[in-house]
């Protein structure tokens, strides 16, 4: 069998007599948007050789059964440190914030990827394009990452508040429309953004699958992102995200949708030139509290930059044994 030279024994092709194992891939599990183990949003990060089949990546993501699994592959463009592909248990995504933050954390801790040193910044080649991440460090140790939006914020059409109420098991009067009606926004993944009237309403919400299937298919938006001002000290907004049509009934911490939320709130804020920052909490109802930090800059009425980030905690490392029959 042929050996594949990748970082930290990323992949080995082997012939284990009787086991039928044809490939071994190194992986890490990291909790993203938390500084405590078993909080935040767990993520599988898999080092992969060039040419690993898409259907096999999808099977591996389904096996982990986490919100997302990200694969690290050799870059195709010299300016990037790594190429990535991101999968939910059911589908591939062009971009997602929590895998990008978690992968940047793993890459920063490794210090190298595919022969290139990594210091304070990581450039990841993703299906959406090149994505920039800044490493968060404390006492010279990498503790997390901050991801910049890969695309300008696009604010799309409004969505019927009564439809959203039905889809999220809420009453129509629990949908707040004074700041904006429910609307589809994207900076890489389209979601419906909905302000609700209270933290009580936020806690009460739950996805009604039949309504998502009929009115919110993933071709329209991959999920619904609910938010409301928080009364908790140190938190500006409490948020939840439902995406059952891509295999995520609820997500404990959603980087891409909170990135869009930071952009949306800043775009709607009064003033033509300002810099904002937001402290967001998610995952409380799931028993996986997550803390995200976002910031944005608006210049002459135009949203010029917006970012999302947070801490990460390593949880596990291991090896995936891939049978020869799956290659």
């Amino acid at each position: 069998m042929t050996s594949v030279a990748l970082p930290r024994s990323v992949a080995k092709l082997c012939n284990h007599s009787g086991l039928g194992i044809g490939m071994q891939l190194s992986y890490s599990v990291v909790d993203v948007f938390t500084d405590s183990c078993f909080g935040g949003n767990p993520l599988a990060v898999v080092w992969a050789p060039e040419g690993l089949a898409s259907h096999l990546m999808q099977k591996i993501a389904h096996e982990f059964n986490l919100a997302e699994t990200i694969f690290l592959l050799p870059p195709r463009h010299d300016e990037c440190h790594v190429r990535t592909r991101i999968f939910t248990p059911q589908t591939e995504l062009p971009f997602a914030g929590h895998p990008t933050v978690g992968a940047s954390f793993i890459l920063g801790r490794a210090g190298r990827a595919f022969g290139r040193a990594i210091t304070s910044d990581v450039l990841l080649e993703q299906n959406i394009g090149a994505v920039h991440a800044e490493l968060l460090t404390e006492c010279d140790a990498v503790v997390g990452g901050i991801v910049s939006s890969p695309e300008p914020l696009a604010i799309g059409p409004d969505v019927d508040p009564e439809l959203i109420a039905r889809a999220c098991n809420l009453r129509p009067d629990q949908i707040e429309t004074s700041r904006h009606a429910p609307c589809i926004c994207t900076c890489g993944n389209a979601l419906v953004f909905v302000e609700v009237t209270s933290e009580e309403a936020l806690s009460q919400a739950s996805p009604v699958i039949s309504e998502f299937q009929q009115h919110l298919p993933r071709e329209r938006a991959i999920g619904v992102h609910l938010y409301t001002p928080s009364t908790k000290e140190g938190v500006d907004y409490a948020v939840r995200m439902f995406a059952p049509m891509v295999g995520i009934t609820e997500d404990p911490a959603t980087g891409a949708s909170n990135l869009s939320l930071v952009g949306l709130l800043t775009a709607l804020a009064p003033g033509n030139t300002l810099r904002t920052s937001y402290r967001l909490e998610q995952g409380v109802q799931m028993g996986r509290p997550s803390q995200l930090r976002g910031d944005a800059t608006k210049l002459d009425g135009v949203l010029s930059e917006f970012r999302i980030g947070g801490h990460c905690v390593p949880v596990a490392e291991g090896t995936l044994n891939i049978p020869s029959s799956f290659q």
Side-chain angles (χ1 to χ4, degrees):
M1 300 286 289
T2 306
S3 65
V4 181
L6 294 174
R8 301 174 65 187
S9 301
V10 170
K12 301 175 185 175
L13 298 182
C14 50
N15 186 10
H16 292 296
S17 177
L19 295 179
I21 298 173
M23 181 183 294
Q24 293 184 311
L25 304 178
S26 296
Y27 74 88
S28 299
V29 174
V30 56
D31 287 339
V32 182
F33 298 126
T34 181
D35 56 10
S36 300
C37 192
F38 309 132
N41 197 351
L43 170 75
V45 182
V46 181
W47 294 88
E50 184 65 56
L52 187 66
S54 298
H55 74 87
L56 186 52
M57 294 186 198
Q58 186 65 76
K59 285 184 177 293
I60 292 169
H62 190 267
E63 180 70 15
F64 277 114
N65 202 31
L66 301 174
E68 282 117 0
T69 296
I70 187 167
F71 295 85
L72 308 181
L73 301 103
R76 294 176 175 173
H77 301 287
D78 291 341
E79 67 271 18
C80 294
H81 294 94
V82 64
R83 182 166 69 95
T84 70
R85 294 182 67 182
I86 301 168
F87 290 80
T88 77
Q90 293 185 4
T91 193
E92 184 172 7
L93 299 176
F95 166 70
H98 129 260
T100 306
V101 169
S104 300
F105 169 73
I106 292 295
L107 290 164
R109 282 168 55 89
R112 299 188 67 81
F114 303 104
R116 293 191 59 187
I118 295 173
T119 54
S120 59
D121 297 271
V122 184
L123 195 62
L124 304 98
E125 180 186 336
Q126 300 193 346
N127 286 352
I128 199 171
V131 180
H132 175 262
E134 176 187 341
L135 299 177
L136 281 176
T137 60
E138 293 179 1
C139 301
D140 295 326
V142 177
V143 297
I146 305 171
V147 175
S148 298
S149 175
E151 291 186 347
L153 181 69
I155 302 176
D158 291 345
V159 180
D160 182 3
E162 292 193 4
L163 185 162
I164 295 299
R166 294 195 306 270
C168 296
N169 197 30
L170 295 170
R171 301 188 312 271
D173 64 2
Q174 292 175 301
I175 306 299
E176 177 62 64
T177 59
S178 60
R179 192 189 325 233
H180 66 87
C183 61
I184 295 176
C185 295
T186 181
C187 63
N189 289 324
L191 291 99
V192 184
F193 288 83
V194 183
E195 183 173 359
V196 297
T197 55
S198 67
E199 291 168 286
E200 181 181 2
L202 186 72
S203 295
Q204 178 188 323
S206 60
V208 179
I209 306 301
S210 60
E211 293 290 339
F212 275 83
Q213 290 173 332
Q214 184 173 358
H215 299 293
L216 295 169
R218 68 187 187 191
E219 293 78 13
R220 185 180 186 188
I222 68 167
V224 172
H225 193 82
L226 306 174
Y227 73 96
T228 193
S230 175
T231 58
K232 184 175 180 179
E233 185 177 356
V235 179
D236 298 312
Y237 289 95
V239 304
R240 296 179 73 183
M241 199 282 278
F242 306 137
M245 294 298 94
V246 296
I248 306 170
T249 304
E250 181 170 1
D251 202 26
T254 317
S257 60
N258 281 300
L259 179 60
S260 289
L261 177 62
V262 166
L264 177 63
L265 291 172
T266 304
L268 295 176
N272 285 330
T273 299
L274 72 157
R275 183 170 180 82
T276 59
S277 61
Y278 303 93
R279 300 162 297 179
L280 310 170
E281 185 172 65
Q282 190 175 348
V284 174
Q285 292 79 6
M286 303 178 67
R288 298 197 67 99
S290 307
Q291 292 78 41
L292 303 91
R293 301 292 182 266
D295 60 68
T297 301
K298 183 164 63 172
L299 298 173
D300 296 325
V302 177
L303 191 65
S304 62
E305 181 186 33
F306 52 115
R307 311 185 305 164
I308 198 76
H311 285 69
C312 300
V313 178
V315 175
E317 293 184 348
T319 303
L320 287 165
N321 297 316
I322 311 299
S324 300
S325 58
F326 281 95
Q327 297 173 50

